[in-house]
PDB file of all heavy atoms in Angstrom:
ATOM      1  N   PRO A1411     127.608  45.832 130.320  1.00 43.00           N
ATOM      2  CA  PRO A1411     127.950  45.341 128.993  1.00 43.00           C
ATOM      3  C   PRO A1411     129.284  45.851 128.460  1.00 43.00           C
ATOM      4  O   PRO A1411     129.994  46.578 129.133  1.00 43.00           O
ATOM      5  CB  PRO A1411     126.836  45.933 128.159  1.00 43.00           C
ATOM      6  CG  PRO A1411     126.523  47.217 128.854  1.00 43.00           C
ATOM      7  CD  PRO A1411     126.846  47.031 130.291  1.00 43.00           C
ATOM      8  N   THR A1412     129.581  45.485 127.242  1.00 46.00           N
ATOM      9  CA  THR A1412     130.742  46.043 126.558  1.00 46.00           C
ATOM     10  C   THR A1412     130.267  47.110 125.590  1.00 46.00           C
ATOM     11  O   THR A1412     129.155  47.079 125.110  1.00 46.00           O
ATOM     12  CB  THR A1412     131.450  44.970 125.736  1.00 46.00           C
ATOM     13  OG1 THR A1412     130.542  44.428 124.814  1.00 46.00           O
ATOM     14  CG2 THR A1412     132.019  43.903 126.614  1.00 46.00           C
ATOM     15  N   MET A1413     131.135  48.032 125.293  1.00 55.00           N
ATOM     16  CA  MET A1413     130.806  49.056 124.320  1.00 55.00           C
ATOM     17  C   MET A1413     131.946  49.104 123.313  1.00 55.00           C
ATOM     18  O   MET A1413     133.092  49.074 123.687  1.00 55.00           O
ATOM     19  CB  MET A1413     130.719  50.410 124.997  1.00 55.00           C
ATOM     20  CG  MET A1413     130.010  50.343 126.320  1.00 55.00           C
ATOM     21  SD  MET A1413     128.649  51.454 126.420  1.00 55.00           S
ATOM     22  CE  MET A1413     129.390  53.027 126.325  1.00 55.00           C
ATOM     23  N   ALA A1414     131.621  49.173 122.081  1.00 66.00           N
ATOM     24  CA  ALA A1414     132.647  49.258 121.057  1.00 66.00           C
ATOM     25  C   ALA A1414     132.284  50.409 120.140  1.00 66.00           C
ATOM     26  O   ALA A1414     131.299  50.338 119.430  1.00 66.00           O
ATOM     27  CB  ALA A1414     132.703  47.955 120.280  1.00 66.00           C
ATOM     28  N   SER A1657     120.248  48.653 127.862  1.00 98.00           N
ATOM     29  CA  SER A1657     121.190  48.539 126.763  1.00 98.00           C
ATOM     30  C   SER A1657     120.874  47.371 125.838  1.00 98.00           C
ATOM     31  O   SER A1657     119.761  47.270 125.350  1.00 98.00           O
ATOM     32  CB  SER A1657     122.605  48.440 127.344  1.00 98.00           C
ATOM     33  OG  SER A1657     123.512  48.910 126.410  1.00 98.00           O
ATOM     34  N   ARG A1658     121.775  46.400 125.653  1.00 98.00           N
ATOM     35  CA  ARG A1658     121.425  45.266 124.785  1.00 98.00           C
ATOM     36  C   ARG A1658     120.252  44.491 125.385  1.00 98.00           C
ATOM     37  O   ARG A1658     119.470  43.886 124.674  1.00 98.00           O
ATOM     38  CB  ARG A1658     122.636  44.359 124.543  1.00 98.00           C
ATOM     39  CG  ARG A1658     123.142  43.651 125.748  1.00 98.00           C
ATOM     40  CD  ARG A1658     124.553  43.119 125.553  1.00 98.00           C
ATOM     41  NE  ARG A1658     125.486  44.224 125.410  1.00 98.00           N
ATOM     42  CZ  ARG A1658     126.785  44.100 125.141  1.00 98.00           C
ATOM     43  NH1 ARG A1658     127.307  42.907 124.956  1.00 98.00           N
ATOM     44  NH2 ARG A1658     127.566  45.154 125.040  1.00 98.00           N
ATOM     45  N   LYS A1661     117.129  46.317 124.352  1.00 99.00           N
ATOM     46  CA  LYS A1661     116.687  45.849 123.034  1.00 99.00           C
ATOM     47  C   LYS A1661     115.890  44.553 123.231  1.00 99.00           C
ATOM     48  O   LYS A1661     114.842  44.321 122.627  1.00 99.00           O
ATOM     49  CB  LYS A1661     117.893  45.551 122.128  1.00 99.00           C
ATOM     50  CG  LYS A1661     118.947  46.663 122.015  1.00 99.00           C
ATOM     51  CD  LYS A1661     120.105  46.234 121.107  1.00 99.00           C
ATOM     52  CE  LYS A1661     121.451  46.870 121.409  1.00 99.00           C
ATOM     53  NZ  LYS A1661     121.580  48.293 121.376  1.00 99.00           N
ATOM     54  N   GLU A1695     125.752  54.887 117.133  1.00 98.00           N
ATOM     55  CA  GLU A1695     125.843  53.537 116.556  1.00 98.00           C
ATOM     56  C   GLU A1695     124.925  53.398 115.336  1.00 98.00           C
ATOM     57  O   GLU A1695     123.824  53.953 115.314  1.00 98.00           O
ATOM     58  CB  GLU A1695     125.446  52.512 117.626  1.00 98.00           C
ATOM     59  CG  GLU A1695     125.744  51.082 117.223  1.00 98.00           C
ATOM     60  CD  GLU A1695     125.644  50.111 118.392  1.00 98.00           C
ATOM     61  OE1 GLU A1695     124.886  50.396 119.338  1.00 98.00           O
ATOM     62  OE2 GLU A1695     126.340  49.073 118.369  1.00 98.00           O
ATOM     63  N   PHE A1704     128.515  42.985 116.594  1.00 98.00           N
ATOM     64  CA  PHE A1704     127.667  42.025 117.321  1.00 98.00           C
ATOM     65  C   PHE A1704     126.770  41.254 116.356  1.00 98.00           C
ATOM     66  O   PHE A1704     125.531  41.272 116.497  1.00 98.00           O
ATOM     67  CB  PHE A1704     126.795  42.760 118.350  1.00 98.00           C
ATOM     68  CG  PHE A1704     127.566  43.589 119.333  1.00 98.00           C
ATOM     69  CD1 PHE A1704     127.548  44.974 119.263  1.00 98.00           C
ATOM     70  CD2 PHE A1704     128.329  42.986 120.335  1.00 98.00           C
ATOM     71  CE1 PHE A1704     128.257  45.748 120.181  1.00 98.00           C
ATOM     72  CE2 PHE A1704     129.047  43.751 121.250  1.00 98.00           C
ATOM     73  CZ  PHE A1704     129.015  45.138 121.172  1.00 98.00           C
ATOM     74  N   TRP A1707     123.811  38.994 117.611  1.00 98.00           N
ATOM     75  CA  TRP A1707     122.611  39.473 118.292  1.00 98.00           C
ATOM     76  C   TRP A1707     121.355  39.348 117.418  1.00 98.00           C
ATOM     77  O   TRP A1707     120.244  39.223 117.924  1.00 98.00           O
ATOM     78  CB  TRP A1707     122.768  40.947 118.683  1.00 98.00           C
ATOM     79  CG  TRP A1707     123.697  41.191 119.820  1.00 98.00           C
ATOM     80  CD1 TRP A1707     124.371  40.264 120.564  1.00 98.00           C
ATOM     81  CD2 TRP A1707     124.065  42.474 120.343  1.00 98.00           C
ATOM     82  NE1 TRP A1707     125.133  40.897 121.523  1.00 98.00           N
ATOM     83  CE2 TRP A1707     124.965  42.242 121.414  1.00 98.00           C
ATOM     84  CE3 TRP A1707     123.726  43.789 120.023  1.00 98.00           C
ATOM     85  CZ2 TRP A1707     125.517  43.293 122.154  1.00 98.00           C
ATOM     86  CZ3 TRP A1707     124.279  44.820 120.766  1.00 98.00           C
ATOM     87  CH2 TRP A1707     125.167  44.573 121.822  1.00 98.00           C
ATOM     88  N   TRP A1748     126.107  57.567 121.964  1.00 98.00           N
ATOM     89  CA  TRP A1748     126.228  56.344 121.153  1.00 98.00           C
ATOM     90  C   TRP A1748     124.857  55.707 120.911  1.00 98.00           C
ATOM     91  O   TRP A1748     124.582  55.145 119.863  1.00 98.00           O
ATOM     92  CB  TRP A1748     127.170  55.387 121.881  1.00 98.00           C
ATOM     93  CG  TRP A1748     127.470  54.085 121.215  1.00 98.00           C
ATOM     94  CD1 TRP A1748     127.225  52.837 121.714  1.00 98.00           C
ATOM     95  CD2 TRP A1748     128.113  53.879 119.948  1.00 98.00           C
ATOM     96  NE1 TRP A1748     127.664  51.877 120.844  1.00 98.00           N
ATOM     97  CE2 TRP A1748     128.217  52.492 119.749  1.00 98.00           C
ATOM     98  CE3 TRP A1748     128.602  54.758 118.969  1.00 98.00           C
ATOM     99  CZ2 TRP A1748     128.782  51.940 118.608  1.00 98.00           C
ATOM    100  CZ3 TRP A1748     129.178  54.202 117.823  1.00 98.00           C
ATOM    101  CH2 TRP A1748     129.265  52.807 117.659  1.00 98.00           C
ATOM    102  N   HIS A1798     125.724  56.166 130.232  1.00 98.00           N
ATOM    103  CA  HIS A1798     125.038  54.939 129.845  1.00 98.00           C
ATOM    104  C   HIS A1798     124.996  53.975 131.032  1.00 98.00           C
ATOM    105  O   HIS A1798     126.002  53.350 131.373  1.00 98.00           O
ATOM    106  CB  HIS A1798     125.841  54.328 128.698  1.00 98.00           C
ATOM    107  CG  HIS A1798     125.261  53.074 128.136  1.00 98.00           C
ATOM    108  ND1 HIS A1798     124.143  53.048 127.359  1.00 98.00           N
ATOM    109  CD2 HIS A1798     125.677  51.786 128.226  1.00 98.00           C
ATOM    110  CE1 HIS A1798     123.891  51.810 126.981  1.00 98.00           C
ATOM    111  NE2 HIS A1798     124.797  51.028 127.508  1.00 98.00           N
TER     112      HIS A1798
HETATM  113  C1  GTR B2788     127.483  48.485 122.990  1.00 87.95           C
HETATM  114  C2  GTR B2788     126.597  48.348 121.821  1.00 87.95           C
HETATM  115  C3  GTR B2788     125.269  48.964 122.110  1.00 87.95           C
HETATM  116  C4  GTR B2788     124.736  48.646 123.495  1.00 87.95           C
HETATM  117  C5  GTR B2788     125.817  48.458 124.509  1.00 87.95           C
HETATM  118  C6  GTR B2788     125.407  47.748 125.767  1.00 87.95           C
HETATM  119  O1  GTR B2788     128.739  48.036 122.766  1.00 87.95           O
HETATM  120  O2  GTR B2788     127.215  48.991 120.750  1.00 87.95           O
HETATM  121  O3  GTR B2788     124.351  48.631 121.107  1.00 87.95           O
HETATM  122  O4  GTR B2788     123.887  47.585 123.495  1.00 87.95           O
HETATM  123  O5  GTR B2788     126.891  47.773 124.035  1.00 87.95           O
HETATM  124  O6  GTR B2788     124.795  46.678 125.739  1.00 87.95           O
HETATM  125  O7  GTR B2788     125.772  48.318 126.795  1.00 87.95           O
END
Side-chain angles (χ1 to χ4, degrees):
T1412 58
M1413 318 235 295
S1657 206
R1658 66 197 66 184
K1661 309 179 208 302
E1695 190 167 27
F1704 304 108
W1707 287 358
W1748 182 239
H1798 182 73

